[in-house]
């Protein structure tokens, strides 16, 4: 059987097609999970091997990026969301914002870009941390991967958090688009199961880069 991936679809999600396609290309069975069905109890969030929270502007980013969606996950769907955190989980852009506010990486935050504007960089370069052994990063340590950046609220701020996350990706020196602390572009949870990043590998031009993280995630649950 193919590994299964639940791709959460919220009002305002807009990257689901690229994300579903990427998981399908690496041999998984992705299926959309609509918020309305989850709340009605006709579908579940935690009945797959992997949870993916894709990019977009969930609930219009009212109250801040990912704020409303994270409350939904931590209240009405709390048990299911907690179950998902015991297996591989990936949050991309708005999905990263939701995962951060949902507590997947300790008490870190994502703030408005230091420039105060939305940044759209087609060829943003990201260096994969060589010391992070998360299954999402297997075989990629030290590599530089180029894929699009498109966000207005992605400035990583660890606050006083020291143990709830590990660095996964950094922007190349002098190419930090949002002012993130120590050029951090993505992190994993301390146990490596949850992976969050602000930019969009599912939109990368090159197939190898586009599928690298997704392939690793699927391989980890086969």
């Amino acid at each position: 059987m193919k590994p299964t991936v639940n791709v959460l679809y919220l009002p305002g999600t807009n990257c689901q097609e690229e994300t579903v396609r990427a998981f399908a290309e690496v041999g998984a069975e992705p299926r959309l999970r609509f918020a309305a069905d989850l709340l009605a109890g006709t579908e579940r969030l935690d009945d797959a091997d992997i949870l993916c929270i894709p990019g977009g502007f969930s609930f219009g980013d009212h109250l801040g990026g990912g704020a409303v969606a994270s409350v939904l996950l931590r209240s009405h769907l709390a048990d299911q969301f907690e179950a998902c955190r015991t297996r591989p989980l990936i949050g991309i852009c708005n999905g990263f914002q939701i995962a951060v506010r949902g507590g997947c990486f300790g008490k870190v935050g994502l703030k408005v870009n230091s420039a105060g504007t939305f940044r759209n960089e087609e060829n943003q370069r990201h260096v994969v941390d060589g010391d992070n052994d998360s299954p999402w990063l297997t075989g990629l340590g030290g590599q530089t991967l180029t894929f699009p950046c498109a966000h207005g609220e992605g400035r990583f701020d660890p606050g006083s958090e020291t143990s709830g996350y590990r660095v996964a990706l950094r922007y190349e020196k002098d190419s930090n688009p949002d002012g993130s602390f120590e050029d951090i572009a993505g992190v994993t949870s301390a146990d490596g199961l949850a992976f969050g990043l602000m930019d969009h590998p599912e939109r990368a031009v090159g197939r190898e880069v586009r599928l690298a993280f997704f392939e690793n995630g699927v391989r980890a649950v086969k």
Side-chain angles (χ1 to χ4, degrees):
M1 294 178 61
K2 292 183 177 181
T4 53
V5 184
N6 281 349
V7 179
L8 179 59
Y9 186 94
L10 300 156
T13 297
N14 64 16
C15 296
Q16 74 281 0
E17 290 187 9
E18 299 95 328
T19 305
V20 165
R21 187 179 305 118
F23 274 116
E25 283 191 62
V26 297
E29 179 189 333
R31 58 269 184 105
L32 292 177
R33 285 291 184 258
F34 294 89
D37 294 332
L38 297 172
L39 293 172
T42 58
E43 299 283 2
R44 294 190 63 87
L45 192 66
D46 60 349
D47 63 350
D49 299 305
I50 296 171
L51 172 63
C52 174
I53 313 177
F57 300 91
S58 61
F59 297 97
D61 277 352
H62 297 307
L63 307 181
V68 177
S70 68
V71 170
L72 184 152
L73 291 179
R74 290 186 288 109
S75 56
H76 299 288
L77 300 172
D79 291 345
Q80 295 180 45
F81 184 51
E82 285 302 311
C84 290
R85 293 175 60 178
T86 66
R87 63 200 70 164
L89 179 158
I90 184 170
I92 304 169
C93 200
N94 188 239
F96 185 21
Q97 294 167 337
I98 295 168
V100 163
R101 291 179 181 269
C104 292
F105 310 104
K107 297 180 180 179
V108 303
L110 290 168
K111 298 185 176 181
V112 172
N113 296 348
S114 57
T117 61
F118 189 92
R119 292 297 302 272
N120 186 2
E121 304 291 340
E122 184 177 354
N123 297 302
Q124 183 69 52
R125 292 163 68 84
H126 310 79
V127 181
V128 183
D129 189 89
D131 296 322
N132 191 322
D133 59 359
S134 166
W136 291 102
L137 308 178
T138 300
L140 301 175
Q143 294 189 34
T144 299
L145 305 179
T146 302
F147 48 88
C149 154
H151 61 261
E153 194 175 332
R155 177 164 57 95
F156 183 81
D157 179 2
S160 60
E161 180 63 72
T162 59
S163 60
Y165 75 95
R166 299 172 66 189
V167 176
L169 306 173
R170 295 185 193 271
Y171 298 116
E172 280 194 331
K173 188 177 180 180
D174 301 322
S175 69
N176 184 332
D178 50 36
S180 285
F181 173 77
E182 294 187 347
D183 299 325
I184 294 173
V187 298
T188 68
S189 54
D191 63 9
L193 288 176
F195 175 34
L197 67 165
M198 277 314 304
D199 297 335
H200 292 276
E202 78 282 6
R203 298 182 189 171
V205 174
R207 185 180 189 278
E208 184 175 344
V209 172
R210 185 172 70 252
L211 301 181
F213 299 129
F214 302 103
E215 186 170 30
N216 276 339
V218 170
R219 186 184 296 120
V221 298
K222 281 186 174 179

